[in-house]
Amino acid sequence: MDSSKNGTPESEARAKGKAAAGAVPPPVAAARVGRGGWKKGVAVFDFLLRLLATGAALAAATTMGTTDQTLPFFTQFFQFQASYDDLPVFTFFVIANAGASAYLVLSLPFSIVCIVRPQAIGPRLLLLVFDTIFVALTTAAASSAAAIVYLAHNGNANANWLAICQQFNHFCQQVSGAVVASFVAALTFIFLVDLSTICLKRN
Amino acid sequence: MDSSKNGTPESEARAKGKAAAGAVPPPVAAARVGRGGWKKGVAVFDFLLRLLATGAALAAATTMGTTDQTLPFFTQFFQFQASYDDLPVFTFFVIANAGASAYLVLSLPFSIVCIVRPQAIGPRLLLLVFDTIFVALTTAAASSAAAIVYLAHNGNANANWLAICQQFNHFCQQVSGAVVASFVAALTFIFLVDLSTICLKRN
């Protein structure tokens, strides 16, 4: 790099040529100097978003998993009780959100690798592919549960399905909260995919 | 580039340096030579997948939108009839899938730009961000409709919701077909996101 002190364009080009012939290829070297800090910031934000999504998915799974309401009156034969496993959709909801939080916890080390080495493509690509799958999974869980919650709140006269939330008020509130938490997790996943995309753009 | 005929490492490095100082930066030039054909193939595949997804989303919207079954018996006061707009979830389904097919048709010119210029980052990034949003939208439509279709087929004894598919057999079949088509569209969107990711990887 000493020859660049001459200052002529010709010698500068020669100096660049020597750098290019070295161990580090030019695009990587340029990115390391110019965009390393910016990418590290995005990687830290990615890590924080993953913590938020873990919290949201875990909250959704536990809130839904612990719903259980027994009405204070009962007939001679049975007591009125509502729990999440009365409806298969809610069971799927718990499994999907528990799976999403497990994946998010497992993805944290990869996210840390992306902070330490912002130029690494492998872990970033791995996270992006799995994040896209979990966008679909959490959205599916949240929206199918939302369809049933809507039915529980409003009923449907055409299909002759009655609203059950008048009786199971506490149950419905808890389930609605879980659905909102799951939607937060799904939106965070969409945001994570977009963040990873921006990071991959210039490698 | 004539100096590279000398064969010494020093002169080769100088030649590279001259290329680096020219109008075309080295990473773009290298990618244009080495990976243009590969990327063009992926872009063509992306275009074909978009056509498939357009067909699936359009089929889902039209199949759901034309469901209408009138039972051959009626009481004194009203006739039994089932149509997609009896359930708000199915209305959302039609809107979401129609929106997805409209977006897919609009995205075709951008996909063609990606075929013509495989190195262009702008249109690819735009497609990726919107594709991710439509992964969520089509999955939400398909899974919420699937939750209701499951209920229509099986009913739920705990919530005292009866199955309606014994009566409205044709209606249920048509709705189930629409849900399957919408899931095909959602899966194609996930695949499109992953394809775009691979294309963005090395630019």
Side-chain angles (χ1 to χ4, degrees):
Chain A
M1 286 291 195
D2 301 318
S3 62
S4 66
K5 282 174 187 165
N6 297 337
T8 63
E10 177 65 28
S11 64
E12 269 184 25
R14 213 174 289 159
K16 272 186 196 167
K18 273 176 194 166
V24 182
V28 174
R32 201 172 281 167
V33 174
R35 297 190 189 86
W38 167 79
K39 284 211 172 182
K40 208 177 266 280
V42 173
V44 170
F45 192 47
D46 178 286
F47 183 79
L48 294 177
L49 275 183
R50 266 169 216 284
L51 289 181
L52 168 71
T54 311
L58 209 60
T62 51
T63 309
M64 182 65 88
T66 55
T67 47
D68 196 7
Q69 186 181 11
T70 307
L71 295 191
F73 53 86
F74 47 89
T75 66
Q76 199 177 351
F77 300 106
F78 69 102
Q79 201 169 13
F80 296 99
Q81 194 191 21
S83 138
Y84 81 95
D85 54 1
D86 290 335
L87 289 149
V89 165
F90 292 163
T91 312
F92 167 62
F93 181 93
V94 172
I95 294 168
N97 277 290
S101 22
Y103 159 71
L104 281 162
V105 170
L106 288 175
S107 78
L108 288 179
F110 290 92
S111 183
I112 291 170
V113 168
C114 288
I115 294 175
V116 177
R117 298 187 57 192
Q119 302 303 328
I121 297 173
R124 177 66 59 198
L125 205 66
L126 195 77
L127 287 179
L128 209 154
V129 169
F130 278 98
D131 282 353
T132 311
I133 292 168
F134 276 94
V135 164
L137 196 67
T138 48
T139 311
S143 51
S144 55
I148 298 297
V149 168
Y150 180 84
L151 206 60
H153 273 286
N154 298 85
N156 188 284
N158 302 95
N160 206 19
W161 293 330
L162 297 173
I164 57 166
C165 281
Q166 277 89 339
Q167 289 90 49
F168 295 102
N169 188 24
H170 180 66
F171 173 76
C172 277
Q173 277 180 352
Q174 208 169 342
V175 166
S176 306
V179 167
V180 171
S182 186
F183 271 119
V184 169
L187 280 177
T188 316
F189 268 119
I190 293 178
F191 206 62
L192 280 172
V193 168
D194 288 346
L195 266 191
S196 294
T197 307
I198 293 167
C199 265
L200 272 180
K201 209 184 77 175
R202 294 241 176 234
N203 256 308
Chain B
M1 283 293 194
D2 299 316
S3 61
S4 65
K5 283 175 187 165
N6 298 337
T8 63
E10 177 65 27
S11 64
E12 269 184 26
R14 212 174 291 160
K16 271 184 195 166
K18 274 175 192 164
V24 183
V28 174
R32 204 172 281 168
V33 174
R35 296 190 188 86
W38 167 81
K39 282 210 173 182
K40 206 176 267 279
V42 173
V44 170
F45 191 48
D46 177 286
F47 183 79
L48 294 177
L49 274 183
R50 266 169 216 284
L51 288 181
L52 168 72
T54 311
L58 210 59
T62 50
T63 310
M64 182 66 88
T66 55
T67 49
D68 196 8
Q69 187 180 11
T70 308
L71 294 191
F73 52 86
F74 45 91
T75 66
Q76 199 179 351
F77 300 108
F78 69 102
Q79 199 168 15
F80 295 98
Q81 194 191 23
S83 140
Y84 80 96
D85 53 2
D86 289 337
L87 289 149
V89 165
F90 291 163
T91 312
F92 167 63
F93 182 93
V94 172
I95 293 168
N97 276 290
S101 21
Y103 158 72
L104 280 163
V105 170
L106 288 175
S107 78
L108 287 179
F110 291 93
S111 184
I112 292 171
V113 169
C114 288
I115 294 176
V116 178
R117 298 186 56 192
Q119 303 302 329
I121 297 172
R124 178 65 60 199
L125 205 67
L126 194 75
L127 286 179
L128 209 155
V129 169
F130 278 98
D131 283 352
T132 311
I133 293 168
F134 276 94
V135 164
L137 196 66
T138 48
T139 311
S143 51
S144 55
I148 299 296
V149 169
Y150 180 84
L151 206 60
H153 273 287
N154 297 87
N156 188 284
N158 302 97
N160 206 18
W161 293 330
L162 297 174
I164 57 166
C165 281
Q166 276 90 341
Q167 290 89 49
F168 295 101
N169 188 23
H170 180 66
F171 173 76
C172 277
Q173 277 181 351
Q174 208 169 344
V175 166
S176 307
V179 167
V180 171
S182 186
F183 270 119
V184 169
L187 281 177
T188 315
F189 268 120
I190 293 178
F191 207 61
L192 280 173
V193 168
D194 288 345
L195 266 191
S196 294
T197 306
I198 293 166
C199 266
L200 272 180
K201 208 184 80 175
R202 295 242 176 234
N203 257 307

